[in-house]
Amino acid sequence: MSNASTQSRGIGRRSKHSQTNGHPVRDSSRTRRKIVTHNDAYLYALRVAYLTYLLQPRVRRIQHAPAPPPPVQRSSTSINDLMKDFTLLRDNKSTKFPHGFMLELEKRLTGVLVGKERKPEYHDAVIKRTFAAFFNAFTEQSFKKRMEKDRRVEDLVLIFFSNATKELQKGKPPGDDSWKLMADRHLALFVRLISLILRDHDWARDRPELAGRLGTLESKLLAHDQDLSSMPSRNGAPGGAPIETVVPLSYEVKDMALVQVVARIFGLTNTQVQSDINKNRPIWTEKAALQDLKSYQTYLNLNSRKTLRSEDFDLDEAYDVWRKTEAHDLSQMMLAIIQSSPELAKSSAGASVPQLQRAMSSPDSADSSYPDVLRRMSDNSERSSYVVDQPFDMSTLSSGSQSPDTSVDDDTGFVFIPPDPRAYYRFLVAEAFVHDINDRRLQPSEATADVPAMKLLSKRSMELLNEIAVRWRIPPVSRTILLLDVVSEKFIDEEEGFDLDRLDAVFNFIKGQPAETKKSDNLVASLFSDRSKWTLTDTASYQHTLSSLHEALMRDLYKVMQTCYESKPPDIGPIMYVLEHHVCEDPSFSKSQDDLDAFSGALHEGLQQKAHEIYRSYLEKHVPQDQYSWEFFHVIELGKAVTALAQKIQKRYKKNPEIMGVNPFTALVETTLPLYAEDARDIVTRILELAEAGGEGEEVPIDDGFQLYAELSEIRSVYAQVLPNIPFPFPIEATLADFVWRWIRMTESAIYDWVDQAIKQDRFCVRTDNPQQIPTEEQRHSVSVMDIFSSFNQSIERIVQLNWDDDLQYAKFMTSLAKVVGAGVSRYCDVVEQRFSKEMDRLSPEQEMAASQSKQEKWLQLAKDTWNNKEKIEPFQFFPESFVKLNNIDYAAQQLDKVEHEVNVDACAAVIQRHAPPVTQRQKKVTNYVFTIKIVEAEDLKACDMNGSSDPYVVLGDEYQKRLAKTRIIYRNLNPRWDESVDITTQGPLNIVATVWDWDAMGDHDCVGRASLKLDPSHFGDFMPREYWLDLDSQGRILLRVSMEGERDDIQFYFGKAFRTLKRTERDMTRTITDKLSAYIHHCLSRRALRSLTSNKITMTTVSNYFNRNRPQPTTQAPTEPDVARALKPLFAYFDDNFAIMNQTLTSTAMIMVMTRLWKEVLVTVEALLVPPLSDKLSQQRQLNQQELDVVFKWLQYLFDFFHAVDEETGEANGVPLDVLRSPKYFDITTLNFFYFEPTDALIRTSERMASATAARQQSQRNRLSAPASLASPAFGGAAGLVGLPSTRRSKTIMHSRNLGTMRKAKEEKWKEAQADPNDDMILRILRMRPEAEKYLKDRSRQKERLAAAAAAEMIVRQSLMAGGGRMTSNLPRR
């Protein structure tokens, strides 16, 4: 057992004999207290009770004798004089009746008339008659209305007096004035009725002046007759006068109230007490009481030991005050006895009985003076100054030595005063307490907000004790100290009925704290607070009582606090209240700080021992003995029990967390939490060891691990608050991290199934309740994308809710989850795009019919269509499901952006980077490399169709003929431009084959040509993009732009890859949609349409003209503005038809995206009309004339306005934003107008000037930056195309696409770069149509190759110097 438990046995035992702790001891009440017998105490108490009966006022019997009628007298004061108090203040609102008074007066008058008035003086018939006369006048409407308006008292009183006078004069003979006095009485009754109404409705409080003046008026009217309720005296009837006669004493106990109290306290019958009174009646007389007072007065004057002396007080001034008041009070008491028994004055000297002659000089001294004096004595027992006296038995009270001149000390004792008044009084107080507590007839006092219901002492017992204290000369302070001493002793001895509530009630009583206190209580409280007037004996006794109580209460507090961790412990509030408010705050109490510290230490150790015992009981309850049956559930339940107890204790002591300097909550948690942490560590470690030994089937469920972590984290947080400087003994994260990794692996294995199931259950339709309802923006995506992101968020939220406390581990968890989310997004994009492509690549009814035709039928149909000039192209019938799929991809990008922000990707990456080891210490591992291959364009392809063109698309595959990517189809174009990208992941070199196919709806697709390229990571160590012109094995060439990025285990990389996948899928789907419309765009914006417009609408409809389409046409008159606009009308109608279909399903964002892509297609088509693609060879395309150029730019302006779609009424743009319409390509086209017809020499000079400026700018950037800047424009081919030199601009990387914000920023930078870095590409494209510029084109191409090669060599040298200290190395840098 701990030291605290050992000490508690000594603290918990109560003892009647305790140390004084240095305080003065009570030698009279405890150490040298005289033995008081039960019979002696009874006899002395009986004497005082009997003396009180003798001195009580005599009972008088009242007899009524008839008397002659008094003569009728009428005051000479007129009614006008009586009403001056009101008439002088006519406009004062305080003397007016309140609103609503007249209605209440009417009701009250009705009650008087019908006999319902409760006052008996209004039941007389004559009164009812006068009131009825007034009632008739009062209810007259004009008068009543005037009274309700003015509300003046004098008007109402005068009208009543007038009606009463008239009514009382009826039937009276002339000269009979008796009715005048009756009129005054009746008016007084009326005024009294008004006052009653004011009081009943609480109006008198608001109008005190009115109530006072009405009372004064009533008093004046009753000057001759004040008893209005005496029926015979009213109205002049004969009356009488009372005669008092004194009733003699019966000397029977039944008439003695205090004697009966003494009998009940001592458990005697009235017969026994009557016998004792009869036996001692000759001795217990008023004369003996008077003699006791005289003797006491003599002892006081002689400074005897039987009274107090100055040595018994701390201050001489206190003794002087006591002696002066004591002499005065003794005289008053003797005067009361003599007034009760006047015959004693004959045997008393005048000097001994002051004021006797004056009191006896009254003619009725025996009758009238005695009650007054006795009443003053009764009051003085509570209020007069003599109650400050001390007991006069100096054998117990005197603190000094006996005076040598007190010769009267050996005289006989007193009759009514015991030898030791203090001891006898204390004995009586104890007996009265025991009796009153056990008396069931005694009701407790009423409970208040501060004081509970309590049985203290009955009223009769208090009267008896007060009377005894007065007769025995026990002052109030001594009484209260003895009262507290009795209750304290019984409380310490644990007697029944003496609990903390009673102790608190006694303290409140002696201090005068209850709300309703008498003047005597206030006097006691003032004397109790003024302790300079106390005797040394009272001071020592009070200090000893407080010290004993403090020790007992501290023992009780320790005992109660040992149960504070139980479910329903005893309340410590009463103990603390008594300790703090009654003991510790008392100025007479003093306790050393060392004693308090020792108690706090013992209490803290005891609480720790209790906490240890409780924890052991929890451990035995929740954790089995057999370790093979241990589970995480047992650790969780044990933790819940510990935390529940801690929370309960914290809540229980929230308002008062510390008890005597000890915090129960702190003592609990600093004991139980370390024990729990150590046990939990051992149990969990053992469970994991057993599970690992049992194999995969014995793994602990993941949910159990998560629940355990949550419980342990909560306990650790509490532990950190209480013990901030001591580490938690259990490494939670290191032990339970495997459960999180298992959860991530389980999520990774299930992610594809989640995606497939979500897609399988999705119908890809808008989510409207009614098919006819127009869907909102929120309803235009389907449920599959919502389901998969709900699964993603749940997986992430599961980790987030753990509140993992290791930042590095948490960042790694999020990185792995980002990889899983990226895989799910990629899977969703692949499946959705496959379904989308299947829907978009379906054959039209005409194509299906053509597929079933023979070869001869196909040729005949082609010739027929050519002969009929069939040029109208029907809109493609889009499925709403296809547009919903595009909406889903856009919605997925938005949701992924939210996930990226919620996960706080940048913070996770920063944490991992901060904890990453130095580069030299990192382990080498197999690195995945991501090659981004952009299929840009092709030149001079072989024509595979009968119309002399092809419908090319590109398929990328590896050396094992595995398809890696496929582009869209570009119809009727031998110089197609795809601009499509694909990501290929590899761990080493990879050979890819680019095959160009010709799409054919009526048979197998034809191979246009093939080219191969080796992707070697060692060639891309600078991670710069490269461009490759690959010659096809048949005819023409294809341009590929290749960049490489190391695949990193990085959260930003995974999110960027997922965003790129979404955006590429979105771009490919959008391009597929626009490709269905591009054929008609090319048809309407073709050179054939341009020639038709500028040659007065002459169309070439024959086959011969079709093959001679490049023959120059004669110049004709320029077309008008309406003609130019009319030429685009079919295209606009075609757009409107398709946009109407799209607008029903696509979201506004997707709609703008499709329109933006169509605008780019328009720009590419317009650009193809003006100039050929960039190359180092001459082009067969002829240059447009001025008339044709003007038409093309007018078309461009019309199309610009159409796509911007400005509302004519509101001026609001509803189409593609201006910043998108005014793209770099748009500006390149608009700048062609400045160079298009310039001479060849001028164009060559301008190109050279631009090339020089570009070279100088690049050189400046290389000198300013440590890393190489972007180099020249895309190479034309030749040697540069063979070796794949770096491109002029840095392509978009995965890190630039990790969220929507970085993607927008990359677009803005690209726009700024295009604006700030103009080049001569458009001039070179114009020169391709000038045969004389053939040599310059080749020279310019070689110049670009040299610049690119020099820049590449410089960059490689610089990177080698930075990475390896000047050594050339072919190893790739570790990412």
Side-chain angles (χ1 to χ4, degrees):
M1 183 176 293
S2 66
N3 295 333
S5 300
T6 305
Q7 295 174 7
S8 66
R9 292 182 294 175
I11 293 177
R13 184 177 64 251
R14 283 187 171 178
S15 176
K16 295 183 181 180
H17 305 287
S18 57
Q19 297 178 358
T20 60
N21 296 324
H23 301 302
V25 298
R26 300 189 302 170
D27 54 351
S28 60
S29 61
R30 290 286 176 97
T31 57
R32 292 187 290 121
R33 183 187 303 157
K34 293 182 179 180
I35 299 177
V36 178
T37 63
H38 187 274
N39 187 61
D40 291 344
Y42 156 69
L43 290 177
Y44 274 103
L46 182 62
R47 298 178 193 186
V48 175
Y50 175 67
L51 178 62
T52 303
Y53 172 73
L54 295 178
L55 298 179
Q56 70 179 355
R58 299 295 187 266
V59 178
R60 297 173 182 271
R61 184 180 297 116
I62 300 176
Q63 297 179 353
H64 192 77
V72 177
Q73 297 180 356
R74 178 69 168 91
S75 174
S76 59
T77 305
S78 65
I79 186 64
N80 293 327
D81 295 333
L82 294 175
M83 295 302 299
K84 284 184 178 180
D85 290 343
F86 295 94
T87 56
L88 293 176
L89 299 171
R90 290 180 61 88
D91 295 331
N92 193 345
K93 293 183 179 180
S94 62
T95 59
K96 289 187 178 183
F97 291 118
H99 291 285
F101 176 83
M102 299 305 165
L103 180 60
E104 297 299 328
L105 176 61
E106 184 177 357
K107 292 180 181 179
R108 201 66 175 262
L109 290 173
T110 304
V112 172
L113 298 179
V114 299
K116 293 184 178 180
E117 178 58 39
R118 59 183 181 274
K119 297 295 182 179
E121 55 264 31
Y122 296 93
H123 295 170
D124 185 79
V126 179
I127 292 177
K128 290 183 178 181
R129 183 158 54 89
T130 57
F131 272 66
F134 167 72
F135 185 82
N136 293 333
F138 176 73
T139 55
E140 201 271 328
Q141 289 299 325
S142 60
F143 177 75
K144 186 176 181 181
K145 189 175 297 185
R146 180 166 58 86
M147 287 304 303
E148 289 176 351
K149 178 181 179 181
D150 298 337
R151 297 179 287 115
R152 288 200 293 265
V153 178
E154 56 270 26
D155 297 343
L156 200 63
V157 172
L158 292 176
I159 196 65
F160 180 88
F161 183 80
S162 175
N163 285 275
T165 301
K166 294 177 182 179
E167 191 63 30
L168 293 174
Q169 282 180 345
K170 293 180 181 180
K172 298 293 183 181
D176 188 358
D177 294 337
S178 60
W179 60 269
K180 295 183 179 180
L181 192 57
M182 291 175 62
D184 291 346
R185 295 193 191 99
H186 290 197
L187 182 58
L189 282 174
F190 179 69
V191 174
R192 180 178 294 182
L193 185 66
I194 293 174
S195 300
L196 291 173
I197 295 173
L198 292 175
R199 283 197 300 270
D200 292 344
H201 292 80
D202 206 21
W203 287 328
R205 184 185 303 175
D206 299 332
R207 286 173 167 78
E209 186 175 356
L210 175 59
R213 294 180 185 275
L214 289 173
T216 303
L217 178 60
E218 182 183 350
S219 301
K220 292 178 180 180
L221 292 171
L222 295 178
H224 303 288
D225 189 356
Q226 297 187 11
D227 189 8
L228 294 175
S229 62
S230 178
M231 296 297 293
S233 64
R234 292 198 313 266
N235 307 326
I243 299 176
E244 293 183 349
T245 58
V246 179
V247 178
L249 297 175
S250 64
Y251 297 100
E252 295 180 0
V253 175
K254 64 182 182 65
D255 297 329
M256 306 176 186
L258 293 185
V259 171
Q260 295 178 23
V261 175
V262 174
R264 287 195 295 269
I265 290 175
F266 288 92
L268 301 176
T269 62
N270 289 350
T271 303
Q272 293 174 319
V273 175
Q274 187 70 58
S275 174
D276 291 335
I277 290 176
N278 293 337
K279 181 172 59 176
N280 295 286
R281 181 176 170 184
I283 303 174
W284 300 346
T285 61
E286 296 95 326
K287 182 177 180 180
L290 182 62
Q291 185 59 41
D292 284 354
L293 293 178
K294 290 180 179 180
S295 300
Y296 182 83
Q297 189 178 45
T298 302
Y299 296 144
L300 178 65
N301 294 331
L302 295 177
N303 197 22
S304 169
R305 286 185 57 205
K306 292 186 179 294
T307 61
L308 294 177
R309 294 179 296 176
S310 60
E311 291 83 355
D312 298 308
F313 291 88
D314 190 30
L315 300 175
D316 293 337
E317 293 82 358
Y319 172 71
D320 295 338
V321 172
W322 169 81
R323 182 169 183 175
K324 180 178 180 181
T325 54
E326 188 77 357
H328 176 267
D329 292 338
L330 288 173
S331 300
Q332 294 295 322
M333 294 174 67
M334 288 187 288
L335 177 61
I337 295 175
I338 293 176
Q339 287 180 341
S340 176
S341 299
E343 65 275 5
L344 295 178
K346 300 178 181 178
S347 60
S348 301
S352 299
V353 195
Q355 301 181 9
L356 179 61
Q357 298 298 328
R358 181 176 58 81
M360 296 300 295
S361 63
S362 174
D364 297 327
S365 61
D367 296 334
S368 61
S369 298
Y370 171 74
D372 295 337
V373 175
L374 189 62
R375 190 177 300 112
R376 288 198 304 273
M377 289 302 298
S378 178
D379 293 341
N380 286 339
S381 67
E382 302 292 338
R383 296 190 299 268
S384 65
S385 61
Y386 75 81
V387 298
V388 188
D389 299 339
Q390 286 286 344
F392 47 81
D393 187 355
M394 294 310 298
S395 64
T396 59
L397 294 179
S398 178
S399 59
S401 59
Q402 182 176 351
S403 177
D405 58 348
T406 54
S407 59
V408 296
D409 289 351
D410 296 331
D411 292 348
T412 58
F414 303 100
V415 175
F416 290 94
I417 303 176
D420 188 355
R422 191 184 185 95
Y424 276 79
Y425 183 79
R426 188 182 185 282
F427 185 89
L428 290 175
V429 170
E431 292 298 321
F433 260 118
V434 173
H435 171 266
D436 288 349
I437 289 175
N438 298 324
D439 188 1
R440 296 182 179 180
R441 296 174 297 176
L442 178 62
Q443 297 297 325
S445 60
E446 294 184 1
T448 63
D450 301 322
V451 182
M454 177 59 58
K455 276 186 177 183
L456 198 57
L457 284 173
S458 64
K459 183 179 179 180
R460 288 297 184 181
S461 298
M462 290 298 298
E463 291 177 356
L464 174 64
L465 292 175
N466 287 336
E467 189 64 29
I468 290 174
V470 170
R471 297 301 168 186
W472 293 356
R473 308 307 300 135
I474 306 293
V477 172
S478 298
R479 294 182 226 172
T480 56
I481 292 175
L482 292 174
L483 178 67
L484 178 62
D485 185 44
V486 169
V487 176
S488 300
E489 183 179 27
K490 292 185 177 295
F491 171 77
I492 294 173
D493 294 341
E494 298 182 343
E495 293 189 15
E496 183 180 359
F498 291 88
D499 53 8
L500 286 168
D501 290 336
R502 193 171 304 282
L503 186 63
D504 176 56
V506 170
F507 269 110
N508 291 332
F509 174 77
I510 66 176
K511 294 180 180 180
Q513 288 185 4
E516 297 180 0
T517 57
K518 299 180 181 179
K519 294 181 179 179
S520 60
D521 296 329
N522 293 332
L523 178 61
V524 171
S526 63
L527 294 175
F528 201 80
S529 60
D530 187 8
R531 303 185 184 189
S532 62
K533 298 180 180 179
W534 291 15
T535 64
L536 298 178
T537 302
D538 285 337
T539 301
S541 177
Y542 185 62
Q543 290 177 346
H544 187 273
T545 301
L546 291 180
S547 179
S548 301
L549 275 177
H550 182 265
E551 294 179 4
L553 291 171
M554 294 292 274
R555 288 192 291 269
D556 288 349
L557 177 62
Y558 184 91
K559 183 177 180 181
V560 172
M561 287 300 296
Q562 294 304 299
T563 64
C564 69
Y565 299 141
E566 297 179 0
S567 58
K568 294 183 178 180
D571 186 13
I572 66 170
I575 299 178
M576 295 302 301
Y577 183 84
V578 174
L579 264 176
E580 294 176 356
H581 291 81
H582 298 317
V583 178
C584 296
E585 292 183 358
D586 196 287
S588 298
F589 175 77
S590 60
K591 197 72 173 180
S592 66
Q593 186 63 36
D594 294 338
D595 294 338
L596 295 178
D597 293 341
F599 175 81
S600 299
L603 179 59
H604 188 76
E605 292 179 3
L607 292 180
Q608 286 183 325
Q609 181 64 27
K610 283 294 180 182
H612 193 278
E613 295 174 2
I614 290 176
Y615 174 75
R616 287 302 169 195
S617 66
Y618 285 167
L619 186 64
E620 296 174 0
K621 177 181 178 181
H622 295 289
V623 180
Q625 295 293 331
D626 183 14
Q627 62 178 350
Y628 292 96
S629 60
W630 285 350
E631 297 179 1
F632 281 3
F633 172 77
H634 301 134
V635 182
I636 294 172
E637 290 301 312
L638 178 60
K640 287 182 178 179
V642 172
T643 55
L645 178 62
Q647 291 173 358
K648 182 189 297 184
I649 299 303
Q650 187 179 27
K651 183 178 180 181
R652 180 179 294 169
Y653 298 99
K654 183 178 181 180
K655 295 183 178 179
N656 299 300
E658 289 193 357
I659 311 298
M660 302 301 293
V662 178
N663 191 321
F665 173 73
T666 304
L668 174 68
V669 296
E670 70 182 8
T671 302
T672 58
L673 294 190
L675 293 174
Y676 172 77
E678 295 172 0
D679 291 341
R681 178 195 59 201
D682 298 339
I683 295 173
V684 171
T685 303
R686 184 56 180 165
I687 292 174
L688 295 178
E689 291 175 353
L690 295 176
E692 184 178 359
E696 186 176 353
E698 298 294 331
E699 286 185 338
V700 180
I702 295 177
D703 289 341
D704 291 354
F706 286 175
Q707 293 179 11
L708 178 62
Y709 181 81
E711 188 66 32
L712 292 174
S713 298
E714 182 179 356
I715 293 176
R716 182 173 57 186
S717 64
V718 179
Y719 182 94
Q721 295 176 5
V722 181
L723 304 172
N725 299 323
I726 302 177
F728 194 64
F730 189 178
I732 307 175
E733 284 73 22
T735 306
L736 302 180
D738 186 61
F739 289 92
V740 183
W741 290 119
R742 285 171 54 193
W743 166 262
I744 295 174
R745 290 194 296 269
M746 183 185 70
T747 303
E748 184 178 10
S749 63
I751 194 71
Y752 281 2
D753 185 61
W754 292 353
V755 174
D756 293 341
Q757 291 298 325
I759 295 175
K760 183 179 179 180
Q761 298 175 10
D762 193 2
R763 295 185 301 161
F764 291 98
C765 58
V766 294
R767 296 174 292 107
T768 55
D769 299 331
N770 186 358
Q772 305 300 326
Q773 179 183 353
I774 299 177
T776 63
E777 289 290 317
E778 300 295 329
Q779 296 174 337
R780 296 191 177 220
H781 54 266
S782 62
V783 296
S784 60
V785 68
M786 299 172 62
D787 292 342
I788 64 168
F789 272 94
S790 176
S791 301
F792 296 160
N793 289 324
Q794 289 176 6
S795 301
I796 295 173
E797 188 64 23
R798 189 69 185 274
I799 306 300
V800 173
Q801 288 178 351
L802 292 175
N803 293 321
W804 202 261
D805 199 40
D806 190 316
D807 291 341
L808 180 59
Q809 286 186 344
Y810 177 80
K812 292 181 178 180
F813 296 156
M814 290 297 107
T815 301
S816 299
L817 277 179
K819 183 177 181 181
V820 174
V821 170
V825 169
S826 178
R827 176 70 173 179
Y828 185 79
C829 290
D830 292 342
V831 177
V832 169
E833 189 174 12
Q834 289 175 8
R835 293 194 174 194
F836 178 84
S837 299
K838 186 177 180 181
E839 294 168 357
M840 299 300 292
D841 293 343
R842 71 186 188 279
L843 298 177
S844 64
E846 293 82 358
Q847 292 172 340
E848 292 179 356
M849 183 180 65
S852 61
Q853 292 176 345
S854 63
K855 190 173 183 180
Q856 183 178 4
E857 290 174 342
K858 294 178 181 178
W859 278 101
L860 291 175
Q861 184 65 36
L862 178 61
K864 183 179 178 180
D865 292 341
T866 305
W867 180 264
N868 294 329
N869 194 22
K870 185 177 181 181
E871 298 177 353
K872 180 173 177 57
I873 300 178
E874 297 293 334
F876 182 79
Q877 296 298 322
F878 294 102
F879 287 163
E881 293 83 352
S882 303
F883 294 145
V884 171
K885 291 181 177 66
L886 180 58
N887 293 340
N888 286 358
I889 298 300
D890 180 61
Y891 178 81
Q894 298 175 16
Q895 293 302 309
L896 187 65
D897 189 63
K898 291 182 180 178
V899 172
E900 194 263 352
H901 284 87
E902 292 173 358
V903 171
N904 200 353
V905 169
D906 294 338
C908 292
V911 169
I912 294 178
Q913 182 65 28
R914 188 167 59 249
H915 292 84
V919 177
T920 56
Q921 298 179 8
R922 298 179 188 175
Q923 296 181 354
K924 293 184 178 180
K925 61 180 180 179
V926 178
T927 304
N928 292 332
Y929 299 98
V930 180
F931 283 94
T932 301
I933 302 175
K934 185 173 185 178
I935 305 171
V936 183
E937 59 181 336
E939 279 187 358
D940 196 20
L941 297 180
K942 181 179 68 174
C944 297
D945 294 338
M946 292 180 296
N947 57 6
S949 181
S950 294
D951 302 322
Y953 66 92
V954 180
V955 174
L956 286 183
D958 60 9
E959 52 191 326
Y960 304 104
Q961 297 182 355
K962 178 183 177 182
R963 176 180 287 193
L964 302 177
K966 173 182 174 293
T967 67
R968 73 189 190 283
I969 303 170
I970 305 296
Y971 296 96
R972 298 179 182 179
N973 200 324
L974 298 178
N975 299 291
R977 188 177 185 88
W978 292 280
D979 285 329
E980 295 188 22
S981 301
V982 62
D983 288 341
I984 299 176
T985 302
T986 181
Q987 295 181 354
L990 176 68
N991 292 317
I992 62 170
V993 178
T995 305
V996 182
W997 294 89
D998 172 54
W999 180 85
D1000 195 347
M1002 298 179 293
D1004 295 335
H1005 299 182
D1006 300 324
C1007 180
V1008 178
R1010 290 183 178 88
S1012 63
L1013 176 66
K1014 183 178 181 180
L1015 302 179
D1016 191 347
S1018 62
H1019 297 163
F1020 291 83
D1022 55 357
F1023 296 98
M1024 294 294 291
R1026 286 167 168 76
E1027 292 184 348
Y1028 297 92
W1029 278 104
L1030 304 178
D1031 293 328
L1032 300 179
D1033 57 1
S1034 58
Q1035 174 185 335
R1037 58 181 180 172
I1038 184 172
L1039 176 61
L1040 300 182
R1041 184 175 294 131
V1042 183
S1043 62
M1044 187 193 74
E1045 187 164 7
E1047 185 174 90
R1048 298 177 292 172
D1049 188 17
D1050 183 87
I1051 188 171
Q1052 293 177 331
F1053 177 85
Y1054 291 132
F1055 269 99
K1057 188 175 180 181
F1059 269 109
R1060 265 209 1 198
T1061 301
L1062 285 170
K1063 284 301 177 182
R1064 181 175 294 125
T1065 303
E1066 183 181 62
R1067 184 171 59 251
D1068 292 345
M1069 294 172 68
T1070 304
R1071 182 173 290 160
T1072 302
I1073 294 174
T1074 57
D1075 284 347
K1076 298 300 180 181
L1077 310 177
S1078 61
Y1080 198 67
I1081 295 175
H1082 297 157
H1083 170 74
C1084 295
L1085 301 179
S1086 63
R1087 289 206 168 211
R1088 180 186 300 175
L1090 185 61
R1091 286 197 300 269
S1092 174
L1093 181 63
T1094 57
S1095 61
N1096 293 330
K1097 304 181 182 179
I1098 300 176
T1099 60
M1100 306 299 174
T1101 59
T1102 64
V1103 176
S1104 60
N1105 289 338
Y1106 174 79
F1107 286 106
N1108 296 323
R1109 60 185 181 277
N1110 292 327
R1111 184 181 302 166
Q1113 300 298 319
T1115 304
T1116 59
Q1117 185 178 359
T1120 62
E1121 195 78 19
D1123 293 337
V1124 176
R1126 193 179 303 110
L1128 292 182
K1129 188 174 182 181
L1131 180 60
F1132 291 157
Y1134 183 74
F1135 282 158
D1136 288 337
D1137 293 341
N1138 286 277
F1139 289 169
I1141 298 173
M1142 297 177 187
N1143 198 37
Q1144 295 176 0
T1145 307
L1146 286 178
T1147 62
S1148 59
T1149 304
M1151 190 68 189
I1152 295 297
M1153 187 166 50
V1154 171
M1155 294 178 67
T1156 302
R1157 181 60 201 172
L1158 280 175
W1159 172 248
K1160 292 181 179 179
E1161 192 68 28
V1162 168
L1163 292 179
V1164 170
T1165 305
V1166 171
E1167 185 183 45
L1169 282 175
L1170 297 173
V1171 291
L1174 185 64
S1175 177
D1176 59 346
K1177 299 178 182 180
L1178 291 176
S1179 174
Q1180 297 299 322
Q1181 181 176 336
R1182 71 171 182 84
Q1183 187 170 347
L1184 300 179
N1185 57 37
Q1186 184 65 50
Q1187 193 178 78
E1188 293 172 334
L1189 186 66
D1190 293 341
V1191 171
V1192 171
F1193 278 102
K1194 289 180 182 179
W1195 281 353
L1196 183 61
Q1197 184 60 43
Y1198 287 145
L1199 289 167
F1200 185 94
D1201 296 337
F1202 176 82
F1203 278 91
H1204 192 39
V1206 177
D1207 193 330
E1208 296 180 358
E1209 296 182 358
T1210 62
E1212 180 181 0
N1214 299 317
V1216 182
L1218 283 176
D1219 57 340
V1220 177
L1221 292 173
R1222 293 171 178 169
S1223 62
K1225 185 175 288 294
Y1226 175 79
F1227 279 104
D1228 288 343
I1229 294 174
T1230 57
T1231 57
L1232 279 175
N1233 201 19
F1234 299 101
F1235 303 107
Y1236 202 73
F1237 297 109
E1238 286 289 318
T1240 303
D1241 294 341
L1243 291 177
I1244 292 175
R1245 288 194 297 271
T1246 304
S1247 175
E1248 291 176 345
R1249 188 166 53 254
M1250 287 186 176
S1252 300
T1254 301
R1257 184 166 52 253
Q1258 292 175 353
Q1259 182 64 35
S1260 175
Q1261 291 178 354
R1262 285 196 298 269
N1263 295 334
R1264 184 172 63 252
L1265 301 176
S1266 59
S1270 299
L1271 300 177
S1273 303
F1276 289 105
L1282 293 176
V1283 299
L1285 293 179
S1287 174
T1288 58
R1289 60 175 180 266
R1290 186 76 163 97
S1291 65
K1292 292 181 288 185
T1293 67
I1294 291 178
M1295 301 305 290
H1296 289 164
S1297 307
R1298 65 178 184 268
N1299 56 41
L1300 295 179
T1302 56
M1303 296 175 72
R1304 284 192 295 268
K1305 186 176 180 181
K1307 287 183 178 180
E1308 293 174 358
E1309 292 177 355
K1310 180 180 178 181
W1311 169 262
K1312 292 179 181 178
E1313 181 181 355
Q1315 294 294 320
D1317 191 14
N1319 54 57
D1320 59 343
D1321 289 352
M1322 296 305 292
I1323 296 178
L1324 294 175
R1325 294 173 72 174
I1326 296 174
L1327 291 176
R1328 285 194 64 194
M1329 297 183 292
R1330 309 282 179 92
E1332 62 272 18
E1334 181 179 5
K1335 182 177 181 302
Y1336 176 76
L1337 290 174
K1338 293 182 179 180
D1339 294 341
R1340 185 76 174 91
S1341 175
R1342 287 193 293 270
Q1343 179 186 7
K1344 285 191 174 185
E1345 291 174 5
R1346 289 194 300 271
L1347 290 174
E1354 181 182 358
M1355 178 181 56
I1356 292 173
V1357 171
R1358 183 173 300 174
Q1359 288 186 347
S1360 300
L1361 292 174
M1362 293 175 61
R1367 291 187 299 110
M1368 299 293 291
T1369 176
S1370 61
N1371 294 335
L1372 293 177
R1374 288 188 295 270
R1375 303 287 287 177

